Amino acid sequence: SGGKDSTVVSHLVRKALNKQEILHIFGDTTLELPLTYKYVEDFQEKYPNIPFLVEKNEENDFFEMCKEIGPPSRVKSWCCSIFKTGPMGTTLSNFDEEFLTFYGVRRKESLSRSKYQKISKTPKIHGGIVTSPIIDWLDLDIWLYILSEKIDFNSNYKNGFPRVGCWLCPNNSDYSQLLARIYVSKKIDNSLKWDIDDWKNILYDF
């Protein structure tokens, strides 16, 4: 995802296996914070030996879908399966052999994730076993590891975001929504196709 947890898992796995050639997959929801895309580009440039795939839904536009079926909510979050796990699952289904997938999820992130197992199988990701090596880590553990190992991380955290992901996720805190109003604006980044004002208009119209 380009977040701090994924960054730590990437470093841990490569360090433990003493190998850089571990396939990385970035699920581009097309709704990432602008600096996340910059971080992913910088990561690829810094580690050219890491095989890297960028997966995204090329067929659908999130905002157009919101106009048709309504925006996602905490109760009905249809967006993740369509714009994140769906495209990744489609690509991974093309692999014949089984493989081991490393997740950057932690139990302390949410009530639903508190029930996750460290090793499991998931219907969202094809291909065998899923393991979550940092599942019992705290935020403090993550930051201490990043700082002690001198790992580059996503600059969105320096701007105050407590988590990085889709900037309009219904699970975001009020504080993250406030920051999105500042940093996801065409007044700041003219390259944006959609920004916080467009999202606000869709919600009001709905």
Side-chain angles (χ1 to χ4, degrees):
S1 69
K4 65 184 188 305
D5 298 339
S6 296
T7 296
V8 166
V9 168
S10 168
H11 189 274
L12 276 173
V13 172
R14 289 181 287 120
K15 186 175 182 180
L17 298 178
N18 192 27
K19 182 178 181 181
Q20 293 295 311
E21 294 78 16
I22 306 295
L23 176 62
H24 285 51
I25 302 177
F26 172 56
D28 180 5
T29 62
T30 71
L31 305 166
E32 311 298 328
L33 291 161
L35 284 176
T36 295
Y37 292 113
K38 178 68 168 59
Y39 172 72
V40 171
E41 291 176 3
D42 291 345
F43 184 92
Q44 290 177 271
E45 290 180 6
K46 185 173 182 179
Y47 302 105
N49 293 330
I50 293 179
F52 203 100
L53 295 179
V54 177
E55 296 297 328
K56 65 180 177 179
N57 187 329
E58 302 278 8
E59 299 177 1
N60 302 105
D61 182 280
F62 172 79
F63 287 87
E64 296 302 331
M65 289 190 68
C66 286
K67 293 176 183 178
E68 294 180 15
I69 65 177
S73 67
R74 295 188 180 188
V75 177
K76 188 178 180 182
S77 56
W78 51 262
C79 45
C80 189
S81 58
I82 293 176
F83 288 95
K84 189 169 187 178
T85 56
M88 285 193 292
T90 300
T91 295
L92 293 175
S93 66
N94 294 321
F95 287 81
D96 293 329
E97 67 277 8
E98 288 194 347
F99 47 86
L100 181 62
T101 301
F102 295 94
Y103 263 5
V105 298
R106 296 182 294 112
R107 291 193 176 110
K108 289 294 184 179
E109 290 181 277
S110 66
L111 180 61
S112 61
R113 292 189 173 184
S114 68
K115 302 172 184 176
Y116 281 24
Q117 299 298 312
K118 190 166 188 177
I119 300 174
S120 64
K121 287 196 173 185
T122 172
K124 290 185 178 181
I125 301 295
H126 165 85
I129 302 297
V130 173
T131 183
S132 305
I134 60 169
I135 197 165
D136 291 315
W137 288 32
L138 306 177
D139 263 8
L140 179 62
D141 300 320
I142 296 294
W143 286 116
L144 285 175
Y145 186 86
I146 287 174
L147 295 174
S148 64
E149 295 288 336
K150 297 180 174 57
I151 302 171
D152 293 332
F153 59 90
N154 194 316
S155 292
N156 283 301
Y157 294 110
K158 297 178 182 179
N159 287 338
F161 285 93
R163 64 182 295 272
V164 302
C166 300
W167 55 265
L168 40 62
C169 178
N171 292 308
N172 282 348
S173 65
D174 291 342
Y175 181 60
S176 290
Q177 293 178 41
L178 171 65
L179 291 172
R181 293 192 191 103
I182 299 171
Y183 293 106
V184 189
S185 168
K186 291 185 182 124
K187 296 174 184 176
I188 295 176
D189 188 346
N190 292 325
S191 67
L192 292 172
K193 180 180 178 182
W194 303 91
D195 72 353
I196 194 70
D197 290 328
D198 299 311
W199 178 232
K200 185 165 58 177
N201 291 334
I202 286 176
L203 293 177
Y204 287 168
D205 291 342
F206 183 74

